[in-house]
Amino acid sequence: MELQNSNQSSSSFEISKGSTLMQEKHGMSQRICHKIMQFEDNLLHGENPRLIYINDPRRTNDKYEFTGNEITTSKYTVITFLPKNLFIQFHRVAYLYFLAIAALNQLPPLAVFGRTVSLFPLLFVLCVTAVKDGYEDWRRHRSDQKENNREALVLHGDRFQLKKWKKIQAGEVVKIRSDETIPCDMVLLSTSDPSGLAYIQTMNLDGESNLKTRYARQETVSYVSEDPVSGLIREDSVSGLIRCEQPNRNIYEFTANMEFNGQKFALSQSNIVLRGCQLKNTESIIGVVVYAGKETKAMLNSAASPSKRSRLEVYMNRETLWLSVFLLVMCLVVSCGMGLWLLRHTEELDTLPYYRKVYFTHGKDKFKKYKYYGIPMETFFSFLSSIIVFQIMIPISLYITMELVRLGQSYFMIEDRHMYDSSSGSRFQCRSLNINEDLGQIRYVFSDKTGTLTENKMEFRRASVYGKNYGSSRVSDSIEGQGTAAAKAVGRRRWKRNSEIAFDNELMELLTKDLAGDERIAAHEFFLTLAACNTVIPIPSSGRSSSCTGSESLNVETIDYQGESPDEQALVSAASAYGYTLFERTSGHIGIEIDDKRLRFNVLGLHEFDSVRKRMSVIIRFPDNSVKVLVKGADTSMFSILAKDSNSNDLVRHATESHLTEYSSQGLRTLVVAARDLTDAELEQWQHMYEDASNSLADRAQKLRQTALFIESNLNLLGATGIEDKLQDGVPEAIEALQQAGIKVWVLTGDKQETAISIGLSCKLLSADMQQIIINGHSEEECKSLLTAAKDKYGVKSSNRKKKSSTSTDNTENNHLDIPNDTKSSNVPEGCYGKEEVNASLALIIDGNSLVYILEKNWETDLFDIATSCRVVLCCRVAPLQKAGIVDLIKSRTDDMTLAIGDGANDVSMIQMADVGVGICGQEGRQAVMASDFAMGQFRFLKRLLLVHGHWNYQRVGYLVLYNFYRNAVFVLMLFWYILCTAFSTTSALTDWSSVFYSVIYTSVPTIFVGILDKDLSHRTLLQYPKLYCAGHRQEAYNMHLFWITMCDTLWQSLVLFYIPLYVYKESTIDIWSMGSLWTIAVVILVNIHLAMDIQRWIFITHAAVWGSIVVTYACMVILDSFPLLPNYWTIYHLAKLSTYWLTILLIIIVALLPRFLLKAVHQFFWPSDIQIAREAEILRKQGSHLSSKRNQDYPS
């Protein structure tokens, strides 16, 4: 019977990891399930199956219900680009606002600006975005065209002919050669290997580089093959019917049946190859297309991650509403003033320009009637005209500026050499540009353990065989070592692995003794199980070498193992080190070399690991025709299925349990191994159940699980293993720094409680003096009592509010920044842990089984109260959905920012649930990376990402938003004061182009460069004093208090801007356009010097941007004033000649900025912030080093 890789629900076999299906079903509230299940599809088992007629695409798609193989990832076509792109862009409310403004300005009564000029800002923004979107979509079109025009061999008649990918249809038979990419999802019919075996690489699908095995059914291999001489294939031999499930996203399952040559048999995930995979180490394969184009699993999984919005951008929208209120108030003031002014001068209207009935001037307008609409309508028109004049109160340029700034920030994060992982060659990745500043406000970090905190490079360390512990004395795995312990015959062939394995001499001697006792038999079956019960692919190397140990010569052949899980690779390599070398795997058998003997075992069936059983089993027939079932799995699932009929088994079990506890306390990942003989009756019954379950289209997974439970019972315990997963470099230091920065680090893992605690201690997450609250109940009552007892014992208070904000500056814990040097100290309590009462000596350890009851019974509030009162939280044995549920527990009850970091597919839901998701480029594929917002090679880089780049980004963007509000508001208020002094007429002293260029050209460039390059502190200082990160928690860079202070300062500066020139030139004969020219120059210089006062890091490009923008403003005004047709012709030339002009500008700058300067000086002197103290310390250190170097130069030794 053929090997069946059925019932596969995950891509890797994880030891002591994962949780039960019941936990995933019932352990989450309906709210959590609704949020997470959007990332998964419900499979259609047996209902409305898809019929695929092999080599008959016309009959297969006779109703034209299947898509072709052409793919389209682009958004637009030439026809749809303009309307569709505009539709998408106008989803931004601000764009609709400016569109309405431009439309109003086209009406004759409201034409404040020139009709063309009024459209310029909106058209500029729309065009820039459209060009960017168009370029990106053009690249997608080019990529699609290249992909669709690739060619593959498709069967036509009796031979294979080249055909473009986009023309391939479901039902066609396709041939793929070595190293070629699979064009669509195909069921294998035959391979170049006689046994039907093929190797594929799924890197393009899930990021995993390890080879995976796929098999063609033996029923089809012998019939579907090419003639080796002519290359022809019998067309009549390639026919049949496949009934398969409807297209879905699950790349780890495939349920189907095939009718071929009068036989009906089951197909599983091991019989299908998916689009995007590559054929490796196999000459060719032939398969039939079942899913094509958009229906392939790769395309169904290509949906983008859910978009996330920056928290600061949400606050910015709140302040934008306030600015809208100010705008409406100003417009109401102007319109009401206009109405009152018209009422007051009703009798004089006929003699006033714009209100009298006819023109009395000479020329073409003589006796032409004015368009006077009456006081009510004039008042209404005045309101609308005011909106047009004051339109830039809502800063449209801020959106473009923020996108450019975030792009620049991302560039410097990507290019940061301190976040480059040389071991894997991976650079830092910014996969989302919307949330850079959120990195500076993180309060909770949720981390996976395996592959995130640890290297996920497994090493076999300990073994418990038949109740005896091994591994305390190990020697290096080398040819000489093996030869001394196990190789006695001259010329014996040895296998050499690419990595060295340390082994135990005592255990090696036990395996080489000619004994027939129970211990020797158990040791033999133990390593046989490790070598056979897996899906690892052995890849022998063609190269051979010789090695000599004394007088003995050894022929060495190198072998490498590739598997879907590092755990399995470590176990198979360990078995090989002890003389049980897996050297061959085909669809129906495996080859294992034991004591120089190459044995071939027939594989009758394989039940792969799943999250319900948490174990794996293989049924093999030995050369002597005996049949055994070999099983390995998590201890929680193995001990319940062991035989209980002898005292010896009980003794072995108790000893093994003791060893498992010891291994877990050392931080090792544990696994239990067992086996038993099968009688002919049991084998026959199992084969019948297995065949029925495999052929079922409805509930196949459940039926296969029941079949596995039948065979996995009454097992004889053989032993247990302990695998070490070492911590990554720098993890303890990174976690310690994050905790000092006021960030709570929670670890969510599928490992055992003891293993998680041990890792927590080694990475400095836990300390020896911490009191541990352990919640590991096995019933509802027990969990409830544990929660209640913990709250009572440690005085945890219940939260009365649904939302708890920990961002207030009113903190209960003083957490001053301790910086040496003679600098001022802060007198303001500035805690990092907010209003939550955090007990630094408490740690919560909870398992997934308890979370099932807690989340199901709506005890989340009690869990939240306890968890937030602890400094550390460790969640063990948690399922992927439970990880996301824990993240949502914090998100739904606090305003704190959350970050989730992981490396595997089981971390995707957690990463997408958190405010910020970080993926680790690790050993478990790239699914976490593809779902993340940021990606990096090592956990330790998180320290620099948050404490340095997060701090910088938050400070820059926070200031950028406030400055843009100020910059536009001061300009609008200046116009407002002018209108009040000109009879509320909504006329302007500034030219149309000056009003448009102000926010687009004159003042935009400096803000972009400052937002990208400015640094309040050096990276060394930020890393040396992690508590500086708490400024983001307290929202020091952007809050409502700062917004109102900025608005008050803006009000003062606008008054100075308007009234000083007015009084200086009160008695002069200067015209209004000259005054407008002066106001334009003055406001540009003012806002740039305002910006210069806040810049902390001056470099050449910053100087060029700030002072260059003033020069550019003068240049533009000179050009505009040189056109005779414009009303401001030659004004700048007249003004610049007078000293009064320059003195007025100087006076404006001094008077406008003096209050701001004094307020900053007083505040920094008496109430310095932590950042200010650290900056002064930096300056003192630099001055000290400079003086010391100068002293050394003056007085050389």
Side-chain angles (χ1 to χ4, degrees), residues 34-93:
H34 176 73
K35 289 184 179 181
I36 303 304
M37 293 308 290
Q38 63 182 323
F39 306 120
E40 302 177 356
D41 282 341
N42 294 322
L43 303 183
L44 301 175
H45 293 291
E47 298 180 4
N48 189 25
R50 165 173 287 205
L51 302 180
I52 303 294
Y53 295 92
I54 302 176
N55 200 27
D56 193 350
R58 180 171 299 179
R59 186 181 179 188
T60 298
N61 199 21
D62 58 347
K63 297 180 180 179
Y64 301 100
E65 56 185 344
F66 302 158
T67 63
N69 199 42
E70 184 174 7
I71 63 167
T72 304
T73 61
S74 57
K75 292 182 181 179
Y76 314 106
T77 64
V78 175
I79 298 175
T80 64
F81 174 75
L82 189 60
K84 192 173 181 180
N85 184 261
L86 289 176
F87 177 77
I88 293 174
Q89 288 200 60
F90 278 110
H91 274 69
R92 283 182 168 172
V93 179

Side-chain angles (χ1 to χ4, degrees), residues 743-770:
I743 300 173
K744 290 187 177 182
V745 181
W746 292 17
V747 175
L748 316 177
T749 178
D751 281 334
K752 291 183 62 177
Q753 176 180 308
E754 294 83 0
T755 304
I757 292 175
S758 175
I759 293 294
L761 289 169
S762 61
C763 69
K764 294 185 179 180
L765 186 66
L766 298 173
S767 59
D769 59 344
M770 275 188 176

Side-chain angles (χ1 to χ4, degrees), residues 1072-1085:
I1072 194 59
W1073 299 112
S1074 297
M1075 287 292 292
S1077 178
L1078 173 59
W1079 278 324
T1080 302
I1081 285 294
V1083 72
V1084 170
I1085 296 176

Side-chain angles (χ1 to χ4, degrees), residues 16-20 612-615 633-641 653 660 670 672 750 752 778 877:
S16 296
K17 198 172 183 181
S19 187
T20 64
V612 179
R613 292 164 39 247
K614 293 190 286 186
R615 54 182 176 265
D635 54 350
T636 54
S637 68
M638 291 292 292
F639 285 123
S640 60
I641 58 175
R653 173 173 177 166
L660 285 171
T670 57
V672 175
K752 291 183 62 177
H778 299 285
R877 300 287 199 189

Side-chain angles (χ1 to χ4, degrees), residues 468 485-486 505-517 519-521 595:
K468 189 172 182 180
N505 271 330
E506 186 179 357
L507 181 56
M508 181 67 78
E509 290 177 3
L510 172 65
L511 293 171
T512 56
K513 288 180 180 178
D514 295 329
L515 299 177
E519 187 178 359
R520 172 67 177 83
I521 294 173
D595 294 334

Side-chain angles (χ1 to χ4, degrees), residues 152 181 185 198 263 301 321 342 428 430 475 489 512 528 531 586 657 728 747 750 763 858 954 992 995 1034 1044 1058 1080:
T181 303
D185 295 353
Q263 301 181 35
N301 278 280
L321 290 176
L342 290 176
F428 182 82
C430 287
V475 298
T512 56
L528 184 63
T586 66
E657 287 178 336
Q728 295 180 9
V747 175
C763 69
N858 294 323
Y954 170 69
D992 297 347
S995 300
R1034 296 187 292 268
W1044 288 115
F1058 176 73
T1080 302

Side-chain angles (χ1 to χ4, degrees), residues 15 17 450 458 567 667-671 721-723 725 751:
I15 302 176
K17 198 172 183 181
T450 305
M458 310 301 175
D567 301 275
L668 302 181
R669 294 161 62 86
T670 57
L671 178 75
T721 62
I723 300 177
D725 188 7
D751 281 334

